[in-house]
Every structure is written in C-alpha cells, then in structure tokens.
Amino acid sequence: MSFSNTRPQIALPVRGFGPQDQVTVEEFKHILTTACDYALPSSKSKKYNRVQVLLTYWTEDDLHVKNEVERLRDTFERGYHYDCVTDQIPAGKHQSPNQWMTRKLLDLGDGTDSNELLIFYYGAHGRFR
C-alpha cells in the first residue's frame, strides 16, 4: 500500500479464490481504518450517528467462511463499536436466496437516514449466470 499526504491510496491485494489467497482480518482492519481516517473529519467528531453491519454467509458453508465472518464481526463490534447482525443465506429449499437477500437488505435500510452508515458483507463467492 502506498499513501500520499492528501489522500490515501488504498490498494487491495490482488488474490485468487483459494483459502490461502484471502485478505486477513488484520489486513482488512488496516484498510478499513485507513479509509475511515480519511473519510471522517477528525477523530473527535462522528460522521455517522449510527453504523449497522449485516454479515452474511451461506447455510451450506462449503467455503468455510463462518469463522472469518465471526472474526470480522468481532472487529466491527469491539474495534469500532458498530451494531452487527450475522445471518445465514438459505440454500433455497424453502425460500429463494434472492428473495431472502432482498428482504434482509430492505430490512437493514428500513428507517435509516443520511446520518447512518449501512455495511453489507457477503461471505462467499458469486458469479453471474
């Protein structure tokens, strides 16, 4: 990562899709902290009145991301004092994953205003069909 005095240059590591290629929680924390330091006017004032985080992963966790999601949730809660919810995406037996995801995102944003930040984390891989 390289930084200038006026604006941080945040470079995400280019990685593959295997477990050994994922960004670590510490790397993610550094990237997030750098971005927040730049975005927030000062450490003494808050840009948002509230921050809500929705972390998701599939019920059929074939990528084994549950532990990653739990560590990330812990980082958001303990490190940043954000309100977090972790939920599993259904595999489609009783409910369409698309409908479930749409409902969760609408619920997350329901009743919020411009002074609130919403963060959505999808702990999986995706592709277009």
Side-chain angles (χ1 to χ4, degrees):
M1 284 182 225
S2 62
F3 301 93
S4 69
N5 290 338
T6 58
R7 184 173 179 186
Q9 299 296 315
I10 301 171
L12 294 175
V14 176
R15 310 261 172 117
F17 295 105
Q20 73 280 3
D21 298 319
Q22 302 303 308
V23 175
T24 67
V25 171
E26 287 303 313
E27 289 172 316
F28 181 78
K29 184 177 179 180
H30 175 73
I31 292 165
L32 183 62
T33 301
T34 302
C36 287
D37 287 346
Y38 174 71
L40 299 174
S42 75
S43 60
K44 294 180 182 178
S45 65
K46 292 171 118 179
K47 185 168 182 137
Y48 300 105
N49 293 335
R50 182 176 181 207
V51 178
Q52 295 183 74
V53 182
L54 172 61
L55 302 108
T56 62
Y57 63 97
W58 288 91
T59 302
E60 296 176 0
D61 185 20
D62 58 338
L63 296 174
H64 309 289
V65 298
K66 179 181 180 181
N67 290 338
E68 273 180 37
V69 171
E70 289 173 352
R71 287 193 316 259
L72 182 56
R73 178 186 177 138
D74 186 58
T75 298
F76 280 131
E77 286 180 333
R78 291 182 182 201
Y80 299 98
H81 307 288
Y82 294 166
D83 297 327
C84 297
V85 173
T86 302
D87 213 338
Q88 295 180 334
I89 305 165
K93 294 174 183 151
H94 301 290
Q95 183 179 19
S96 158
N98 290 342
Q99 290 174 340
W100 180 91
M101 187 68 70
T102 300
R103 173 57 37 215
K104 285 292 178 181
L105 291 172
L106 289 172
D107 289 347
L108 179 66
D110 192 35
T112 60
D113 61 37
S114 61
N115 293 320
E116 296 180 49
L117 175 65
L118 306 175
I119 298 174
F120 171 74
Y121 179 80
Y122 175 72
H125 297 288
R127 66 174 182 238
F128 290 105
R129 293 183 187 184

